């Protein structure tokens, strides 16, 4: 690090380096000669080098035990030493100058290897998971309510993962993460389709508190009247138990089967879609599937019980998080 210093007697710069900093001062004399004390001051070059170094790693250093625990590799920091360090399961990439000697060692997450494999780079700063919810499972963690989406996620198949064993291990880690993952909103027990999970509380709040577009595929027990299109779009339909009328919704009745329709809305009142069709039209919804949520759709071949990891960084940018 460079610094500049000048001679107190004749105001000439120290001959050692003409690019040194003026902030350095003479503190005293020693045996007939001036004693120079160098006060290091960061120059632009030093700051740029520091920024580049930070940029190259991309992440703040973090304690090993906290990192391993929050990513779901084990269910407590105290077990990191016995299960990972003592068994030599933890190591660092060859370009790292640090050696892991204790669970409190601070490391760059990008350099860490567990069982010889790098950590999943797209899961280091939080996860956002798209799950195709099947029927007969509730969006709850209460075991008394029966089969839930967390149980189903544990059994899920990870999309675009060639190694089935690795896919199962990743899903298990999601469920052990700290903070824990939660569903973004809820779907009824018999409703299928797009359901998101995340461990990012701010992102979850943004999705549930903002007006986010949701698309549902509806099947009714009878033909849906064409007049319902204008009724749904009017924004005047009031549901039982709700103080305010529903916001305008777009309804498209299928041409080949009038008992089926696609509805697009931006709010999520309790049992809203079912109530809109039953209370507003007298039609009983026999099948309901959410095909899109906040622009996330199910790809071809994305069957019930399948999941995939989404880009959480892009999702955060939508809400400026």
């Amino acid at each position: 690090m460079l610094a500049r210093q000048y001679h107190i007697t004749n105001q000439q710069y120290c001959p050692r380096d003409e690019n040194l900093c003026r902030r350095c001062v003479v503190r005293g004399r020693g045996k007939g000669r001036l004693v120079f004390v160098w006060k290091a001051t960061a120059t632009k070059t030093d700051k740029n080098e520091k920024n580049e170094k930070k940029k190259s790693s991309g992440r703040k250093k973090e304690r090993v035990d906290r990192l391993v625990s929050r990513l779901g590799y084990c269910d407590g920091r105290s077990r990191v030493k016995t299960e990972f360090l003592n068994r030599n399961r933890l190591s660092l990439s060859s370009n790292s100058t640090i050696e892991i000697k204790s669970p409190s060692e601070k490391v760059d997450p990008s350099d860490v290897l567990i069982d010889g494999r790098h950590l999943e780079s797209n899961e280091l700063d939080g996860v956002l998971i798209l799950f195709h919810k099947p029927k007969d499972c509730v969006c709850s963690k209460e075991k008394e309510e029966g089969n839930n989406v967390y149980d189903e996620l544990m059994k899920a198949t990870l999309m675009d993962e060639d190694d089935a064993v690795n896919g199962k291990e990743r899903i298990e880690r999601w469920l052990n993460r700290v903070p824990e993952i939660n569903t973004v909103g809820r779907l009824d027990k018999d409703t299928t389709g797009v359901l998101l999970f995340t461990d990012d509380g701010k992102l979850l709040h943004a999705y549930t508190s903002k007006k986010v577009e949701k698309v549902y595929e509806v099947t009714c027990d009878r033909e849906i009247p064409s007049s319902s299109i204008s009724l749904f779009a009017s924004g005047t339909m009031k549901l039982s138990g709700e103080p305010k009328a529903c916001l305008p919704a777009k309804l498209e009745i299928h041409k080949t089967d009038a008992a089926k329709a696609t509805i697009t809305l931006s709010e999520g009142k309790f049992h809203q879609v079912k109530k809109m069709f039953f209370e507003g039209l007298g039609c009983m919804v026999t099948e309901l599937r959410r095909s899109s949520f906040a622009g996330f759709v199910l790809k071809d071949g994305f069957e019930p019980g399948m999941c995939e990891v989404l880009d959480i960084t892009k999702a955060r940018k939508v809400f400026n998080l």
Side-chain angles (χ1 to χ4, degrees):
M1 191 176 290
L2 297 179
R4 176 177 285 172
Q5 185 178 51
Y6 58 89
H7 201 289
I8 195 71
T9 55
N10 58 15
Q11 301 297 305
Q12 291 181 350
Y13 292 115
C14 175
R16 291 179 58 185
D17 195 326
E18 61 181 11
N19 296 316
L20 303 181
C21 178
R22 288 175 182 269
R23 288 184 62 186
C24 292
V25 295
V26 176
R27 288 291 180 86
R29 295 175 180 272
K31 294 186 180 180
R33 59 180 181 176
L34 291 173
V35 178
F36 291 91
V37 178
W38 295 74
K39 289 178 70 176
T41 303
T43 63
K44 285 185 179 180
T45 306
D46 297 322
K47 288 178 181 177
N48 289 340
E49 286 176 359
K50 189 176 181 181
N51 289 338
E52 284 301 318
K53 191 174 181 181
K54 190 175 180 181
K55 207 181 233 184
S56 64
S57 63
R59 287 181 178 84
K60 186 179 175 183
K61 287 188 177 180
E62 168 175 11
R63 283 178 58 123
V64 171
D65 54 359
R66 182 181 181 279
L67 174 67
V68 174
S69 177
R70 77 172 179 82
L71 294 182
Y73 282 90
C74 66
D75 57 5
R77 286 170 149 190
S78 58
R79 296 177 60 187
V80 173
K81 185 174 182 180
T82 55
E83 292 192 15
F84 290 88
L85 280 178
N86 293 351
R87 297 182 184 181
N88 296 318
R89 295 181 61 194
L90 266 172
S91 60
L92 294 173
S93 57
S94 56
N95 60 345
S96 176
T97 56
I98 299 172
E99 183 181 348
I100 302 178
K101 295 180 180 178
S102 75
S104 61
E105 196 76 57
K106 288 193 173 183
V107 296
D108 184 335
S110 304
D111 292 333
V112 177
L113 288 84
I114 293 182
D115 297 328
R117 303 172 85 172
H118 276 284
L119 304 178
E120 298 290 341
S121 60
N122 60 344
E123 298 176 14
L124 292 177
D125 301 317
V127 290
L128 180 62
I129 303 153
L130 172 60
F131 179 56
H132 189 166
K133 179 190 174 295
K135 274 186 178 182
D136 301 322
C137 57
V138 295
C139 294
S140 169
K141 292 182 179 178
E142 300 298 327
K143 295 297 181 183
E144 309 85 62
E145 295 189 38
N147 188 40
N148 61 54
V149 290
Y150 298 92
D151 296 329
E152 290 298 322
L153 182 60
M154 177 67 84
K155 299 183 288 187
T157 302
L158 183 56
M159 193 86 164
D160 301 326
E161 175 60 69
D162 298 328
D163 187 341
V165 175
N166 185 52
K168 291 294 180 185
E169 290 176 351
R170 284 178 67 184
I171 293 171
E172 188 175 346
R173 290 197 297 270
W174 297 342
L175 293 164
N176 289 330
R177 288 179 73 97
V178 180
E180 61 186 8
I181 62 170
N182 288 288
T183 60
V184 178
R186 294 189 170 206
L187 289 177
D188 295 340
K189 184 175 182 178
D190 59 347
T191 301
T192 63
V194 176
L195 181 66
L196 300 184
F197 290 85
T198 186
D199 61 347
D200 186 329
K202 289 183 179 180
L203 183 60
L204 190 153
H205 180 262
Y207 276 131
T208 52
S209 62
K210 309 286 184 184
K211 300 302 179 186
V212 175
E213 186 178 271
K214 309 168 185 75
V215 181
Y216 292 87
E217 305 299 330
V218 184
T219 301
C220 294
D221 62 344
R222 66 191 68 184
E223 290 189 355
I224 302 165
S226 57
S227 59
S228 57
I229 296 175
S230 57
L231 175 62
F232 279 28
S234 67
T236 59
M237 183 185 290
K238 220 175 167 187
L239 305 177
S240 59
E242 297 292 343
K244 295 181 179 180
C246 297
L247 293 175
K250 180 182 178 182
L251 181 68
E252 298 175 88
I253 301 172
H254 293 195
K255 293 178 180 179
T256 55
D257 189 347
K260 294 183 178 182
T262 300
I263 180 172
T264 304
L265 40 79
S266 59
E267 55 186 343
K269 299 179 188 290
F270 184 64
H271 294 316
Q272 181 173 351
V273 176
K274 292 178 179 178
K275 282 184 174 182
M276 287 177 78
F277 279 87
F278 183 70
E279 295 181 14
L281 310 175
C283 298
M284 180 78 72
V285 174
T286 58
E287 192 173 331
L288 185 61
R289 175 177 174 268
R290 185 157 71 184
S291 56
S292 174
F293 179 89
F296 296 114
V297 298
L298 299 171
K299 302 174 185 175
D300 291 338
F302 204 119
E303 300 297 328
M306 297 185 77
C307 63
E308 72 172 332
V309 182
L310 302 173
D311 191 332
I312 194 169
T313 304
K314 287 183 179 179
R316 286 170 175 151
K317 284 180 180 178
V318 173
F319 301 104
N320 296 317
L321 298 178

